[in-house]
Amino acid sequence: MLVLATVGFAVNFWAWALLSPLGPRFHDDLDLTSFEQSLLVAVPVVVGSLGRIPVGALTDRYGGRVMFPLVSAVTVIPVLYLGLAGHDSLAALLVGGFFLGIGGTAFAIGVPFVSAWFPPERRGMAIGVFGMGMGGTAISALTTVKLADAYGIVNPFLDCAVVLVVYAVVAALVLRDPPGRTAPSEPLARRLLDTLRLPLTWQASALYAVAFGGYVAFSVYLPTYLKTAYDLTQADAANRMAGFVLLAVAMRPVGGWLSDRIGPVRVLSGSLGVVVVGALVQSATPSLAPLGTIAFLAMAGALGAGSGATFAFVALLAPPGQTGSVTGVVGAAGGLGGFVPPLVMGTLYGAYDSYALGLLLLAVVALAALIFTETGVRRAVRRKTASAEAG
């Protein structure tokens, strides 16, 4: 079940990230401004993020067995639209990108589904393994431009649509919800309201907005950044972005595994500290060989580990029956954290012809999250641990 959930996450994230590698091409072909290009790659992110809130709550109600095939099948529609008809104008791309965001909601299905299959002491690692499905963005980065160059721009969209259909059929036939799963009886609106009243929801949302939001922002904007700041080719920039994504993906289960052993607070603090340093170094736009590459790869590993640690924190503190709802809200915060930076970076570059200020802002935000982790989050974990020992 863990493998099937991870594959489903990866396939849907592949679809979710189809527009990002093609951003520079659309910029040239459609004569887009920096802001319009940033908006194009950010729209699927915000829709996929906000959509996680209802999808997470629906997963608590109907289970992953229903929701994984459903979301995968629905995502086929915007993928085919973009490939066959929706790539000739900015307006058409934005419409397709809006509905492409549905693929990004798959994350809110997998976390409660996987959590229910594993005991608490193994959930950090299990959710970290599931989180490797975010490597679907690497599939997009490595294949989209190459397929478009070799066979035409329609090809990568058609290939992704076929894989989505195959996965939806397999998931419908094979996926099973864990034994003993009980569906909540409360109305959706009431469950969401109860979720928003939990301090955990807001604490984890703030952390995930930085950790996963940083990952998403780099995964969608890094090709544009590298092409503009370092004059790399589109293919070279996409390949380097894929390297960033793969390292972040590999470190996500490591973050969950470490959290099971030394606690999520320590993992989060270490990860955020690395991001602060990496962002400060990169704000000076050093040479890519080797300092710039080291800075980006260090941030990739830290953001991946921090994302895994955040959901180890959620799995540790979330009340039974509310994991999906909490995951939906936290996942939305993470995605929204990835929506804002590309727009900020594009706007600042258009105004100052430099990315330095944007990276300095990342360092400041990561530092604030580090301080919050060592104060509010650490207290919350201590309370939970003390309560468990008393019980």
Side-chain angles (χ1 to χ4, degrees), residues 39-101:
L39 181 64
L40 172 63
V41 299
V43 163
V45 174
V46 70
V47 175
S49 303
L50 293 175
R52 291 174 189 177
I53 298 175
V55 167
L58 288 170
T59 301
D60 280 340
R61 178 67 178 85
Y62 296 105
R65 183 183 182 183
V66 170
M67 295 302 295
F68 258 127
L70 178 62
V71 165
S72 301
V74 172
T75 303
V76 172
I77 298 172
V79 170
L80 288 176
Y81 164 76
L82 285 165
L84 298 175
H87 55 265
D88 293 329
S89 70
L90 177 61
L93 284 167
L94 290 176
V95 170
F98 181 90
F99 291 100
L100 195 65

Side-chain angles (χ1 to χ4, degrees), residues 264-337:
V265 172
R266 290 181 181 177
V267 180
L268 279 164
S269 295
S271 299
L272 291 166
V274 172
V275 174
V276 171
V277 175
L280 288 173
V281 170
Q282 192 56 37
S283 66
T285 318
S287 171
L288 276 179
L291 192 55
T293 299
I294 292 173
F296 273 120
L297 291 181
M299 286 192 288
L303 292 169
S307 297
T310 301
F311 272 95
F313 172 57
V314 170
L316 182 66
L317 270 68
Q322 289 184 273
T323 305
S325 298
V326 173
T327 296
V329 177
V330 175
L336 291 175

Side-chain angles (χ1 to χ4, degrees), residues 82-257:
L82 285 165
L84 298 175
H87 55 265
D88 293 329
S89 70
L90 177 61
L93 284 167
L94 290 176
V95 170
F98 181 90
F99 291 100
L100 195 65
I102 294 170
T105 66
F107 178 76
I109 305 171
V111 170
F113 177 80
V114 170
S115 291
W117 273 104
F118 288 85
E121 65 273 12
R122 296 178 61 197
R123 285 177 186 164
M125 179 64 175
I127 295 172
V129 171
F130 167 74
M132 292 180 72
M134 68 187 190
T137 55
I139 299 174
S140 179
L142 290 170
T143 63
T144 302
V145 174
K146 294 177 182 176
L147 290 172
D149 288 342
Y151 305 107
I153 198 168
V154 176
N155 185 271
F157 294 94
L158 292 181
D159 289 348
C160 184
V162 169
V163 175
L164 280 166
V165 170
V166 171
Y167 176 77
V169 172
V170 171
L173 295 174
V174 180
L175 273 184
R176 295 290 182 270
D177 287 314
R181 191 187 80 85
T182 56
S185 57
E186 296 87 355
L188 176 63
R190 180 176 177 180
R191 283 189 285 127
L192 287 175
L193 185 60
D194 290 342
T195 298
L196 294 175
R197 288 173 176 161
L198 293 172
L200 166 67
T201 303
W202 299 105
Q203 292 165 346
S205 293
L207 295 172
Y208 206 56
V210 179
F212 186 71
Y215 161 80
V216 170
F218 278 123
S219 68
V220 300
Y221 198 72
L222 199 53
T224 300
Y225 173 89
L226 292 173
K227 187 173 183 294
T228 304
Y230 291 99
D231 198 28
L232 301 184
T233 65
Q234 181 182 350
D236 190 12
N239 287 338
R240 290 173 185 268
M241 185 269 273
F244 181 98
V245 168
L246 289 172
L247 180 56
V249 168
M251 288 300 296
R252 184 152 184 160
V254 175
W257 176 77

Side-chain angles (χ1 to χ4, degrees), residues 13-36:
F13 252 43
W14 174 14
W16 193 41
L18 278 169
L19 291 180
S20 174
L22 296 171
R25 173 175 297 199
F26 292 133
H27 175 274
D28 296 338
D29 292 349
L30 302 178
D31 194 27
L32 304 181
T33 65
S34 295
F35 178 80
E36 288 172 337

